Amino acid sequence: MLSTPHLLVGAAIVKVIPNPIIGLPLAFLSHFALDSIPHWDGSPKAPFSRKIFGGIFLDYAIGVSVVFVLTNSYENQYLLWLGAFLGTLPDFILGSYKHLENIFSRFAIVRIPNEFHLSIQRNLPLVNGLLTSGFISFIAVIILLYRS
Ligand SMILES: [Zn+2]
């Protein structure tokens, strides 16, 4: 899944569960739940081209900007940002793994979680995949906008 929904859901989880001992690990684990929902992410193949890096950067910049704006007035904004980051961390790990697979694939402790991450991907064509990502992002935005 694209980074924007992962960032938004990670922040939304920490908003709903502000205890960092519970909320932050759940933000990290949410990544795998979201990746198992049918989505489109372009399925970038390593080695990554400049165009792919540009797309990844643009997606991440959009997600970070939206999270920044939506959490601007929260007292625990830094915790929400950390939740957002943890929601995307598995993709940084996977991207590093794909880029250096020749080295990392020798180590089961690195290979097995990344192969699991790859195995749960459910890719859809562009439009349908973006609709699911958009819907998930919309729910997360509503949660972040709601102030009791
Ligand atoms: Zn992922």
Side-chain angles (χ1 to χ4, degrees):
M1 189 168 282
L2 295 171
S3 293
T4 295
H6 285 304
L7 287 160
L8 289 165
V9 169
I13 287 172
V14 174
K15 188 224 170 181
V16 173
I17 307 169
N19 180 337
I21 295 170
I22 300 168
L24 293 176
L26 285 178
F28 179 81
L29 293 173
S30 74
H31 186 97
F32 302 101
L34 292 182
D35 272 359
S36 67
I37 295 171
H39 63 275
W40 178 88
D41 61 10
S43 302
K45 305 268 185 283
F48 304 126
S49 67
R50 293 180 78 180
K51 183 179 174 186
I52 289 173
F53 271 120
I56 291 169
F57 178 81
L58 180 64
D59 171 31
Y60 210 83
I62 290 169
V64 165
S65 300
V66 174
V67 167
F68 179 82
V69 168
L70 293 177
T71 63
N72 200 23
S73 61
Y74 284 85
E75 283 181 23
N76 63 346
Q77 185 185 35
Y78 295 113
L79 203 57
L80 297 177
W81 289 356
L82 184 55
F85 170 72
L86 289 173
T88 60
L89 182 58
D91 277 346
F92 284 106
I93 296 169
L94 182 61
S96 302
Y97 174 77
K98 282 179 167 179
H99 216 64
L100 301 169
E101 194 169 1
N102 291 343
I103 299 166
F104 287 145
S105 62
R106 297 180 206 150
F107 304 102
I109 196 166
V110 179
R111 186 183 68 246
I112 292 170
N114 282 295
E115 286 179 356
F116 167 75
H117 189 173
L118 286 169
S119 74
I120 61 171
Q121 301 297 318
R122 303 284 177 264
N123 288 297
L124 288 175
L126 177 69
V127 174
N128 288 343
L130 290 180
L131 283 174
T132 58
S133 297
F135 179 73
I136 289 164
S137 298
F138 176 74
I139 300 295
V141 166
I142 297 297
I143 290 168
L144 289 170
L145 282 174
Y146 178 75
R147 303 299 292 259
S148 54

